[in-house]
Amino acid sequence: MAEPLALTIDSLETPIGELLLVVDGEGRLRAVDWRDHEDRMLLLVRRYCGPRGCTLAPGRAAATAALGAYFKGDLAAIDRLPVASGGTEFQRRVWAALRRIPCGETVSYATLAKEIGHPSAVRAVGHANGANPVSVVVPCHRVIGADGTLTGYGGGLSRKSWLLAHEGAAFKSRAA
């Protein structure tokens, strides 16, 4: 049996909470999520490691500096960070499409479904978006409702709102 995948976990304080990053030995992001969702993130990491398993040790990740720069206003700092997150072929297509959404822009789930060639798979695209293990870098927060309102975000709508405002994206707040 293959050796377990050795992963490093790092953290970053941001204006909207502590962000956790999991990287492999090649510096590729395997997961990014908020500290208050650490259990969910670790479950996804273990799922993507599969039967091989993984080890997780604290350490410094080069990607942390790029994410820090992003939160300080260098919005392009995260654009070229390498990602290796597993998932199904369909999920990987959705996640690749998410990375092509320019900073400061948003798309609807229907638009994203059309972009990947599955215009009737809006719900499946929504599920893949929600299963994204590399938040912020794979910008699932840039997907909003067809009417321009904020829709669900694994880190919470207040974080989604902050990220979109930070990037200069237009959106409508939901009525209370």
Side-chain angles (χ1 to χ4, degrees), residues 57-142:
R60 295 305 297 165
T64 306
L67 276 154
Y70 165 86
F71 280 99
K72 289 178 181 168
D74 180 2
L75 302 177
I78 61 173
D79 288 347
R80 288 171 299 286
L81 285 175
V83 173
S85 55
T88 66
E89 181 180 334
F90 182 82
Q91 287 173 324
R92 288 190 306 270
R93 288 180 66 196
V94 171
W95 300 338
L98 289 172
R99 289 203 85 179
R100 291 189 297 270
I101 303 169
C103 186
E105 294 185 21
T106 58
V107 301
S108 69
Y109 292 96
T111 299
L112 196 56
K114 287 176 192 167
E115 182 173 320
I116 66 163
H118 293 280
S120 64
V122 175
R123 285 183 188 233
V125 163
H127 286 292
N129 195 52
N132 169 24
V134 186
S135 70
V136 182
V137 175
V138 176
C140 52
H141 60 277
R142 295 179 187 160

Side-chain angles (χ1 to χ4, degrees), residues 1-85:
M1 187 161 174
E3 289 287 318
L5 181 62
L7 301 172
T8 300
I9 188 166
D10 197 359
S11 64
L12 173 69
E13 284 296 331
T14 78
I16 51 176
E18 186 179 7
L19 196 62
L20 299 175
L21 300 81
V22 176
V23 298
D24 62 21
E26 297 175 35
R28 298 175 302 180
L29 287 165
R30 295 292 183 137
V32 176
D33 211 337
W34 305 99
R35 171 71 74 182
D36 51 327
H37 298 287
E38 182 176 8
D39 291 342
R40 172 186 68 197
M41 180 189 74
L42 294 176
L43 177 68
L44 286 174
V45 167
R46 289 189 175 92
R47 183 178 298 152
Y48 292 133
C49 288
R52 170 183 183 182
C54 59
T55 61
L56 198 58
R60 295 305 297 165
T64 306
L67 276 154
Y70 165 86
F71 280 99
K72 289 178 181 168
D74 180 2
L75 302 177
I78 61 173
D79 288 347
R80 288 171 299 286
L81 285 175
V83 173
S85 55

